[in-house]
């Protein structure tokens, strides 16, 4: 059976429970498994004789089993197995006296005890790795790692005697050596080859091989309650063996050297198919060649040699079976550069493709609607707004589609810039569509735009289209759009439906780009009858550092609005420990005073109600959101599929946090945390407080129907319900000028950019404003450090930079909402900015010489996979 990166694990792994457990981690194919990177590697285990043991310090040694007994535990269920080992030969090689120690195993299962008993028979040579302790005056190793060694022709102790002979010539003592593996290899001449039957029975053919395996660094993976890191590692090594690897990657940079430790063939009760098993004469060199054929290189050979990088197959082997920690880091750098190169090539190809498409030219005319609109504004445009409007006007005049990202702080005037662009398209006789992520925001945009253009001549029709409209109004709006009459259409996701047609569509403006996928944007391209591609302007208030923008939006022209209009006062941000009852009480009294002064307050909770257990993991965080973020933080990745795969739409509605930060212990297990607060729970608690007697509350969540949302927001803005308890549905675009306070519960669990967005909901009317971040973070924890960033800064770019450093780039840019699967797992947008720039330069050179990548088939495939897997990072995201 030929095994490729796309082969499913279900066809290879016989243990169906393990297949299911791996699937819950997002591991379905061989490629998923090889790119499920460990978050750390253990340090090499030092060799020590038993007399050199120090309790609590990991060690490894070779020994012979002297006796073994199984003792039923009468007071408790189960059995205790004790084996006595003697390291006389091994100790002699280290010039210390030999000694004995006890190996102890406990189990309720008789089958496990019988299996261990069979392996630890008297006279068996073993290599032991574990943590020593003392029990009843004797050195003891509890549940150590044991590798049994096949006996040679000279008897069970042949391997140890070989070590002793090597030690006598000065080659054997390497307790403090920086390269213990070299000493092991020189000290142990290969033992007489065991028979094929023995090879299946014992863990290693020689003591040398066993010592090398237990001493070498060990990768540690993020695991779950269903599968351990060790079993993940075992499965990945089995897959590498099946693909041709027979020995690990050696420090000299070559695959499968003759002196390297061998990868053990997987047992048939774990792996169904064992590639090459019938070829008993398979050599290390032919195994290396087979692995390279199964895992072809993606980077062009010229780039790989210029950067002195590993072959892709070699890098995978060095990550999952590293000969040293330095080798592990080198392999990570290779695959990190590969991700940078593939992503930049993909972005450059997308940009080139866009410039080959045709679009409607929308040149400025004399006495244009755009100029009338700007002249009618009751305020002066900032210099930044004027520059961006000028740049967009030049783009719209071209006959190829504009692709521009407009980034601006909350309240920086992006809507005015977008409206100027839409009026230029209307003036040229075409239609323009503004797509908003929520009905509340779409209605707000339609009302604002209608008011701004009502004095213009000729009159500009403004059509609102939402999914929550009554049938008659919806039909009327669809008819107005399909007529092709020049005008502005403001829509929600309804613009992506098959019933929406706009035959003369020249410009698409997408507000909050991270809420829409590229498939939806492509559906708007199909709305034109003449085959042209609409100009595209995507807007975001999510701050994106320039390094991140270069990575994720390399195919877009980018404009920044950095100036805020006059009259905005800085928002005072206060971090409050939820356990501090006195401070909480003062905060509620302050909110009551602001409400009595005619102002409004938002109170934000991450969950809808306390019964959303089906959407939670054990820590109170969406299981769908999973534990990948810890992996992302550890490796700098934006991987998102750990404990429970990708978040579903229902989970996203129930859990308002965009990217919950997970905490992991040293073994990669998720650390339990308190459950998240819910809207229903907090609204009920607050209404009972004496500070809020006589005050009406309202609640708003993503589950509410559109007409309910509209009425709730109207009552809140009008002051009938001056306190609104909601999920993060108010995060984007909601504009209530009387709102002066926002309270965010579980703030330590949000991303910084999302907190910055939420904070921007207040202070829009020129009044003093406050943001209270309620936290349960431990003192000195990373969560507390994150909140200090938002506490001391109002600079969105600075906050986004910090967010990128705390977690992966994709998290900041919103791939949680996308439902897509990120292909990037190692690239760190901030720290790897220089690497990204280098990859972009080399990708430009490659595409200039070979635009279609005809000479780089593997790279072309990787670029296609990246485009499919990272649609949210391309063009409209």
């Amino acid at each position: 059976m030929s095994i490729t990166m796309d082969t499913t694990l279900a066809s290879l792994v016989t243990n169906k429970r393990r297949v299911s457990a791996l699937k819950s981690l997002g591991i379905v194919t061989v490629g998923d498994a090889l790119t499920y990177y460990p978050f750390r590697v253990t340090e090499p285990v030092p060799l020590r004789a038993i007399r050199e043991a120090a309790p609590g310090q990991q060690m490894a040694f070779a020994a012979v089993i002297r006796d073994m007994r199984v003792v039923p535990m009468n007071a408790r269920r189960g059995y205790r197995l004790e084996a006595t080992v003697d390291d006389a030969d091994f100790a002699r090689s280290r010039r210390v006296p030999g000694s004995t120690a006890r190996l102890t195993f406990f189990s309720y299962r008789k089958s496990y005890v019988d299996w261990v008993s069979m392996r630890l028979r008297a006279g068996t040579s073993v290599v032991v790795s574990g943590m020593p302790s003392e029990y009843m005056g004797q050195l003891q190793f509890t549940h150590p790692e044991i590798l049994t060694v096949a006996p040679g022709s000279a008897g069970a102790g042949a391997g140890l005697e070989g070590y002793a002979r090597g030690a006598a010539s000065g080659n054997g003592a390497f307790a403090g050596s920086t390269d213990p593996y070299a000493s092991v290899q020189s000290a142990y001449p290969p033992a007489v080859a065991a028979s094929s039957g023995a090879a299946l029975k014992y863990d290693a053919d020689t003591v040398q091989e066993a010592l090398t395996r237990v001493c070498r660094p060990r990768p540690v993976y993020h695991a779950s309650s269903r599968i351990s890191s060790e079993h993940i590692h075992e499965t990945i090594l089995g897959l590498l063996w099946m693909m041709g690897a027979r020995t690990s990657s050696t420090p000299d940079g070559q695959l499968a050297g003759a002196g390297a430790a061998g990868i053990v063939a997987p047992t048939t009760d774990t792996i169904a198919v064992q590639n090459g098993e019938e070829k008993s004469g398979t050599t290390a060199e032919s195994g290396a060649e087979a692995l390279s054929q199964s895992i072809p290189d993606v980077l062009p050979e010229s780039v790989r040699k210029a950067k002195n990088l590993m072959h892709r197959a070699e890098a995978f082997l060095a990550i999952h079976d590293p000969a040293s920690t330095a080798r592990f880091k080198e392999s990570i750098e290779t695959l990190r550069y590969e991700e940078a190169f593939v992503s930049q090539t993909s972005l450059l190809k997308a940009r080139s493709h866009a410039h080959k498409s045709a679009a409607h030219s929308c040149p400025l005319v004399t006495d244009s609607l755009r100029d009338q609109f700007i002249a009618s504004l009751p305020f002066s445009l900032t210099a930044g707004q004027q520059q961006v409007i000028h740049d967009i006007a030049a783009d719209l005049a071209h006959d190829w589609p504009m692709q521009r990202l407009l980034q601006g702080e909350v309240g920086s005037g992006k809507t005015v810039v977008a409206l100027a662009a839409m009026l230029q398209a209307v003036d040229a006789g075409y239609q323009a569509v503004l797509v908003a992520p929520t009905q509340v925001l779409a209605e707000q945009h339609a009302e604002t735009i209608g008011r701004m253009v009502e004095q213009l001549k000729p009159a500009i029709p403004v059509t609102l289209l939402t999914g929550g409209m009554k049938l008659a109004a919806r039909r009327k709006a669809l008819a107005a759009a399909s007529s092709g009459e020049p005008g502005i259409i403001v829509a929600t996701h309804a613009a992506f439906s098959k019933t929406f047609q706009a035959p003369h569509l020249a410009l698409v403006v997408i507000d909050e780009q991270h809420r829409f996928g590229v498939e939806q944007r492509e559906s708007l391209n199909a709305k034109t009858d003449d085959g042209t591609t609409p100009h595209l302007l995507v807007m975001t208030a999510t701050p994106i550092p320039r390094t991140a923008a270069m990575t994720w939006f390399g195919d877009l022209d980018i404009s920044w609005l950095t100036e805020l209009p006059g009259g905005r006062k800085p928002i005072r941000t206060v971090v409050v420990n939820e356990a501090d009852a006195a401070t909480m009480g003062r905060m509620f009294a302050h909110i009551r005073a602001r409400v009595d002064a005619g102002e409004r307050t938002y109170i934000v909770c991450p969950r809808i109600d306390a019964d959303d257990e089906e959407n939670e993991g054990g820590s109170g965080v969406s299981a769908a959101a999973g534990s990948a973020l810890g992996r992302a933080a550890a490796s700098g990745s934006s991987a998102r599929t750990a404990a429970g795969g990708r978040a579903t739409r229902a989970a996203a509605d129930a859990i308002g946090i965009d990217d919950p930060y997970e905490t992991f212990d040293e073994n990669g297990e998720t650390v339990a945390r308190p459950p998240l607060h819910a809207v229903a729970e907090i609204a009920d608690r607050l209404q009972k407080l004496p500070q809020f007697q006589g005050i009406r509350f309202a609640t708003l969540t993503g589950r509410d129907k559109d007409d309910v949302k509209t009425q709730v927001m109207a009552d809140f803005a009008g002051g009938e319900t001056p306190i609104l308890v909601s999920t993060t549905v108010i995060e984007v675009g909601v504009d209530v000028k009387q709102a002066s306070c926002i309270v965010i519960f579980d703030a330590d669990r949000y991303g910084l950019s999302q907190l910055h967005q939420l904070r921007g909901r207040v202070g829009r009317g020129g009044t003093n404003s406050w943001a209270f971040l309620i936290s349960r973070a431990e003192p000195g924890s990373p969560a507390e450090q994150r909140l200090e960033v938002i506490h001391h800064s109002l600079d969105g770019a600075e906050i986004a930079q910090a967010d990128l450093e705390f977690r992966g780039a994709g998290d900041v840019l919103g791939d949680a909402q996308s439902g897509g699967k990120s292909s990037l797992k190692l690239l760190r947008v901030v720290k790897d900015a220089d690497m990204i720039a280098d990859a972009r330069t080399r990708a430009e050179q490659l595409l200039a010489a070979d635009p279609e990548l005809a000479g780089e088939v593997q790279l072309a495939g990787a670029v296609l996979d990246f485009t499919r897997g990272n649609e949210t990072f391309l063009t409209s995201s």
Side-chain angles (χ1 to χ4, degrees):
M1 177 180 177
S2 177
I3 301 172
T4 69
M5 298 286 278
D6 295 322
T7 303
T8 62
L9 294 189
S11 65
L12 303 177
V13 180
T14 54
N15 187 328
K16 299 309 176 187
R17 291 182 63 185
R18 183 172 296 190
V19 171
S20 176
L22 290 168
K23 186 176 181 180
S24 73
L25 298 176
I27 304 173
V28 178
T29 66
V30 171
D32 294 334
L34 296 186
T35 57
Y36 190 81
Y37 302 119
F39 69 94
R40 68 180 177 93
V41 289
T42 61
E43 290 299 317
V45 177
L47 287 184
R48 292 184 183 138
I50 292 175
R51 283 191 180 272
E52 299 172 305
Q57 294 183 16
Q58 192 84 8
M59 61 176 281
F61 61 95
V64 175
I65 304 292
R66 290 303 177 214
D67 60 67
M68 184 270 300
R69 62 176 185 151
V70 176
V71 181
M73 295 187 291
N74 297 325
R76 296 181 294 165
R77 277 194 313 117
Y79 304 86
R80 181 177 77 253
L81 184 148
E82 295 178 349
T84 303
V85 292
D86 182 346
D87 74 339
D89 292 335
F90 178 81
R92 190 181 311 121
S93 71
R94 299 186 60 79
R95 300 182 177 89
V96 296
S99 187
T100 61
R102 183 167 51 213
L103 312 182
T104 305
F105 300 85
F106 299 93
S107 180
Y108 292 118
R109 291 187 295 129
K110 185 66 163 60
S111 58
Y112 172 77
V113 173
D114 291 342
W115 176 74
V116 176
S117 302
M118 180 182 66
R119 302 180 72 222
L120 303 186
R121 289 171 296 185
T124 302
S125 293
V126 294
V127 166
V128 180
S129 174
M131 192 87 71
S133 61
E134 189 174 332
Y135 178 70
M136 297 182 68
Q138 185 174 3
L139 198 69
Q140 174 174 282
F141 292 81
T142 305
H143 284 275
E145 179 181 3
I146 301 286
L147 293 184
T148 57
V149 180
S153 58
L160 297 178
E161 292 162 6
Y163 188 95
R165 289 195 302 272
S169 62
N171 296 327
F174 66 92
S177 170
T178 56
D179 187 9
Y181 313 117
S183 300
V184 172
Q185 291 161 10
S186 61
Y188 280 102
V192 176
S195 66
S196 59
L200 295 175
K201 190 173 183 180
Y202 294 92
D203 298 320
D205 288 341
T206 65
V207 175
Q208 165 198 338
E209 176 190 334
L211 280 170
T212 304
R213 278 170 51 192
V214 299
C215 288
R216 66 191 300 109
R218 206 68 66 83
V220 183
Y221 302 82
H222 281 307
S224 70
S225 59
R226 299 178 62 187
I227 186 169
S228 66
S229 173
E230 289 77 12
H231 283 156
I232 294 170
H233 188 214
E234 175 188 284
T235 302
I236 293 174
L237 288 184
L239 296 173
L240 287 168
W241 193 93
M242 294 164 63
M243 299 176 83
R246 292 297 180 268
T247 59
S248 58
S249 178
T250 59
D252 63 0
Q254 302 300 315
L255 274 171
I263 293 180
V264 179
T267 58
T268 53
D269 60 350
T270 301
I271 300 292
V273 181
Q274 296 191 10
N275 185 34
E277 185 179 23
E278 70 286 352
K279 301 176 183 177
S280 58
T282 298
T283 65
E285 288 73 17
S286 64
E289 183 180 344
L291 187 64
S292 299
Q293 291 173 353
S294 300
I295 309 175
D297 216 346
V298 169
L299 287 174
E301 185 71 9
S302 58
V303 173
R304 187 168 71 83
K305 288 185 175 178
K307 297 293 294 180
N308 194 27
L309 301 173
M310 297 180 182
H311 187 284
R312 192 176 199 224
E314 182 186 352
F316 279 135
L317 196 53
I319 282 177
H320 297 295
D321 192 32
S324 66
T325 52
R327 192 73 177 145
F328 175 82
K329 292 174 182 176
E330 187 182 345
S331 60
I332 288 288
E333 286 302 297
T334 291
L335 293 176
R336 184 172 285 147
Y337 189 88
E338 178 189 289
E339 289 186 353
F341 194 87
V342 170
S343 67
Q344 293 309 302
T345 304
S346 183
L347 291 167
L348 290 167
K349 278 184 66 68
R351 187 180 183 87
S352 172
H353 176 75
H355 280 194
K356 294 176 183 177
S357 303
H360 291 299
S361 175
C362 303
L364 274 176
V365 298
T366 306
D367 192 28
S368 65
L369 289 170
R370 190 202 74 169
D371 292 342
Q372 290 183 47
F373 161 65
I374 293 174
S376 70
L377 291 172
F379 52 84
S380 298
L381 296 178
T382 66
Q385 287 175 312
Q386 294 176 22
Q387 182 61 49
V388 174
I389 288 173
H390 174 77
D391 293 343
I392 291 174
D395 288 346
L396 291 176
H398 295 144
D399 58 1
W400 65 81
M402 170 183 74
Q403 289 189 295
R404 186 171 290 276
L405 171 69
L406 175 58
Q407 178 186 316
E409 286 282 2
V410 173
S412 61
K414 296 186 298 296
T415 304
V416 169
V417 172
L419 182 51
M422 289 190 286
L423 289 173
Q424 185 172 334
V426 172
D427 228 357
Y430 299 111
Q431 296 168 293
V433 173
L434 171 62
V435 186
T438 66
Q439 173 160 331
V440 169
L441 188 53
E443 291 172 345
Q444 190 171 292
H445 276 316
E447 180 184 350
T448 302
I449 291 171
R451 192 167 58 248
M452 286 179 160
V453 304
E454 61 185 1
Q455 303 300 325
L456 302 184
K457 302 296 182 184
I460 308 298
V462 179
T463 304
L464 175 66
L465 176 64
T466 71
M469 297 174 70
K470 292 185 178 180
L471 184 58
R474 181 180 172 83
R475 284 177 174 170
K476 184 177 179 180
L478 289 170
S482 61
S483 71
E485 178 187 2
I488 294 172
I489 303 160
V490 181
T492 57
H493 288 76
F496 305 121
S497 69
K498 294 180 180 179
T499 55
F500 175 73
Q501 296 296 325
H504 294 158
L505 183 61
L507 173 64
V508 175
V509 179
I510 295 183
D511 193 11
E512 286 310 319
Q513 47 78 27
H514 65 275
R515 298 304 176 98
F516 303 102
V518 76
E519 305 100 325
Q520 294 172 316
R521 182 181 63 80
E522 291 297 334
S523 74
L524 287 175
N525 287 346
K527 305 300 184 184
T528 57
D529 288 344
D530 51 13
T532 58
T533 299
H535 297 283
L536 175 70
L537 176 65
V538 294
M539 304 192 298
T540 178
T542 302
I544 305 168
R546 289 172 189 266
T547 51
M550 180 180 71
T551 306
W552 300 124
F553 302 101
D555 56 339
L556 298 182
D557 296 307
I558 303 174
S559 297
W560 276 269
L561 286 177
T562 56
E563 302 171 71
L564 291 180
R568 292 293 296 268
K569 294 183 178 180
I571 302 167
R572 303 175 195 177
T573 304
V574 183
V575 179
V576 181
N577 188 324
E578 189 174 341
D580 186 348
T583 303
M584 293 284 287
R586 289 197 301 273
M587 176 188 73
F588 291 137
H590 172 81
I591 291 171
R592 175 59 188 260
R594 304 321 305 164
V595 168
D596 289 343
E599 297 168 10
R600 316 279 186 271
T601 296
Y602 296 106
I603 295 177
V604 179
C605 304
R607 282 198 300 160
I608 294 177
D609 56 54
D611 296 327
D612 291 322
E613 295 302 325
E614 70 275 11
N615 291 319
E616 293 182 22
S619 64
V621 178
S622 160
S627 60
L629 286 171
R631 192 168 83 244
S635 63
S637 82
S638 56
R640 311 282 313 224
T641 52
R646 180 68 57 166
T648 62
R649 179 66 62 184
D653 287 342
I655 306 294
I657 291 179
D658 64 344
D659 296 298
Y661 289 96
E662 288 297 296
T663 304
F664 296 90
D665 62 21
E666 62 178 9
N667 295 318
E669 298 284 356
T670 305
V671 176
R673 294 185 295 178
L676 298 164
H677 288 301
V679 168
E681 164 213 349
I682 291 297
D684 182 60
R685 282 172 52 186
L686 296 187
Q687 289 180 83
K688 296 175 181 177
L689 293 177
Q691 291 96 327
F692 297 123
Q693 290 302 309
I695 299 294
R696 289 187 60 194
F697 281 67
T699 62
L700 182 68
T701 74
R703 287 182 187 165
D704 294 330
K705 294 183 179 179
D706 288 334
D707 56 343
V708 173
K709 291 179 183 176
T710 302
Q711 186 60 51
V712 167
M713 289 305 301
D715 291 345
F716 178 63
E720 292 183 35
T721 52
I723 298 180
L724 177 63
V725 185
S726 76
T727 57
T728 54
V729 291
I730 57 103
E731 174 187 354
V732 176
V734 173
D735 189 0
V736 177
K737 298 192 183 304
Q738 300 89 342
S740 64
C741 294
I742 184 167
V743 179
I744 305 172
F745 279 92
D746 293 307
D748 52 300
R749 309 278 283 275
Y750 289 80
L752 296 184
S753 291
Q754 193 178 24
L755 288 175
H756 184 61
Q757 281 268 37
L758 289 166
R759 180 170 60 180
R761 295 307 104 207
V762 299
R764 304 172 74 87
T767 60
N768 291 323
S769 54
W770 294 264
F772 298 98
L773 310 181
I774 312 302
S775 167
R776 289 183 280 184
E778 294 292 329
S781 66
E784 186 181 63
Q785 295 169 22
R786 289 195 300 268
L787 292 182
E788 283 303 302
V789 172
I790 203 92
H791 177 208
H792 293 293
S793 178
L794 292 171
D795 185 333
E798 179 183 325
I799 290 167
Q801 185 92 354
D803 215 358
L804 275 170
E805 292 169 357
F806 277 120
R807 57 178 181 164
D811 308 332
V812 176
L813 303 184
D815 66 340
Q817 288 87 357
S818 73
K821 180 181 176 184
S822 170
S823 297
L824 295 184
K825 299 182 178 182
L826 298 174
L827 196 65
R828 305 163 301 187
V829 173
V830 175
K831 295 181 180 178
D832 297 328
D834 291 342
M835 177 187 289
I836 293 165
D838 180 90
R840 188 175 184 83
T841 300
R842 294 179 188 275
E844 286 173 343
Q845 295 169 353
L846 177 67
L847 289 172
D850 185 4
E852 299 304 318
L853 300 177
E856 300 291 345
V857 177
Q858 295 300 328
L859 176 62
V863 166
L864 182 61
D865 289 343
F866 176 87
T867 305
R868 289 171 175 167
N870 293 275
E871 291 149 342
T872 54
F873 302 141
L874 298 172
T875 57
S876 70
S877 189

